[in-house]
Amino acid sequence: MQASIEDWFRREILIHEPALVRFLSRNWFNQNDVQDIRHDIYVRVLEGAERQLPHSPRAFLFGVARHLLIDRVRRERIVAIDLLEDVDSLNVLIDEVSPERRATGREQVQRLSKLFDRLPPRCREVVWMKRVEGLSQKQIAERLGIAEATVERHLVRGIALLANALYGSTGHSSAKRVNDEPLIAVESRHGE
């Protein structure tokens, strides 16, 4: 059985390696990690194939790649905030970033994260798929079962709400400030 999975892997998965490396290079911020990520993807693909061979190996490979990148982005997002708190203990120079700038950066990341969580659910979902997962508007529309125009409206609205909450008025009427704290109003429209 093991030999047949290895043959399947060589025949159905390894032929997509150049496309996979291009995908990872386009979608991951640290090019030094690409080969390690590729290896982790192959491990997950083999583990999944041992349970059941997928009907569409290429789609399975890129689905695993996309999910692994999302997992890493989530982990990086958490680690990055934690690392900011521990930078002083490392006792190294980091481009002479002042404690004030570091604190301001940490506050901005935490604030953006909280604001993102307060977006209307569909806007939040669409913005995440576009900005984090790197999906096209067409892919998002297909995944959510909505029109591309609706995806575009959610993107524009979500980005406008975040910009308004962070930087002040952008002319978007559904984001308001209360007691100088940004408030993102949840408006629901059926079908969106």
Side-chain angles (χ1 to χ4, degrees):
M1 180 72 170
Q2 187 64 24
S4 65
I5 289 177
E6 290 174 5
D7 291 340
W8 171 85
F9 183 80
R10 277 190 221 94
R11 187 179 61 252
E12 300 291 338
I13 298 298
L14 285 181
I15 63 168
H16 302 295
E17 185 166 0
L20 176 64
V21 171
R22 280 192 307 274
F23 172 80
L24 295 173
S25 295
R26 267 194 330 265
N27 291 293
W28 191 249
F29 60 91
N30 186 349
Q31 297 305 303
N32 295 329
D33 293 340
V34 168
Q35 295 306 317
D36 288 337
I37 294 171
R38 179 185 55 87
H39 177 267
D40 292 346
I41 291 166
Y42 287 161
V43 168
R44 287 189 183 186
V45 166
L46 281 169
E47 288 171 349
E50 286 175 352
R51 288 187 296 273
Q52 180 180 356
L53 289 177
H55 296 293
S56 177
R58 179 180 169 87
F60 180 67
L61 172 67
F62 283 92
V64 168
R66 186 173 49 253
H67 287 110
L68 189 121
L69 290 179
I70 292 167
D71 290 345
R72 284 186 174 234
V73 165
R74 287 179 182 145
R75 193 170 51 235
E76 291 288 327
R77 181 174 161 195
I78 293 166
V79 170
I81 292 170
D82 293 343
L83 283 177
L84 285 174
E85 294 171 359
D86 294 332
V87 167
D88 288 330
S89 67
L90 295 175
N91 200 19
V92 293
L93 278 176
I94 301 177
D95 206 20
E96 297 188 33
V97 177
S98 69
E100 294 83 13
R101 282 183 57 198
R102 190 175 312 117
T104 300
R106 181 175 44 244
E107 288 170 6
Q108 288 175 339
V109 168
Q110 290 170 342
R111 184 171 176 220
L112 180 60
S113 178
K114 287 177 184 173
L115 291 171
F116 184 79
D117 289 342
R118 292 174 63 195
L119 282 175
R122 186 60 83 161
C123 280
R124 182 175 56 243
E125 188 176 23
V126 168
V127 171
W128 180 269
M129 287 178 177
K130 179 68 174 173
R131 298 295 183 184
V132 177
E133 293 182 34
L135 299 178
S136 69
Q137 287 184 201
K138 182 177 181 176
Q139 291 170 317
I140 296 168
E142 288 171 359
R143 186 184 283 185
L144 297 177
I146 59 178
E148 280 187 67
T150 304
V151 170
E152 186 170 352
R153 279 196 308 273
H154 284 303
L155 278 172
V156 168
R157 181 171 177 231
I159 299 299
L161 288 168
L162 288 172
N164 187 31
L166 286 169
Y167 306 114
S169 179
T170 62
H172 199 282
S173 63
S174 62
K176 301 173 184 156
R177 291 185 162 271
V178 176
N179 296 333
D180 207 32
E181 268 302 306
L183 172 69
I184 298 177
V186 178
E187 299 173 0
S188 63
R189 297 180 189 159
H190 43 79
E192 295 184 18

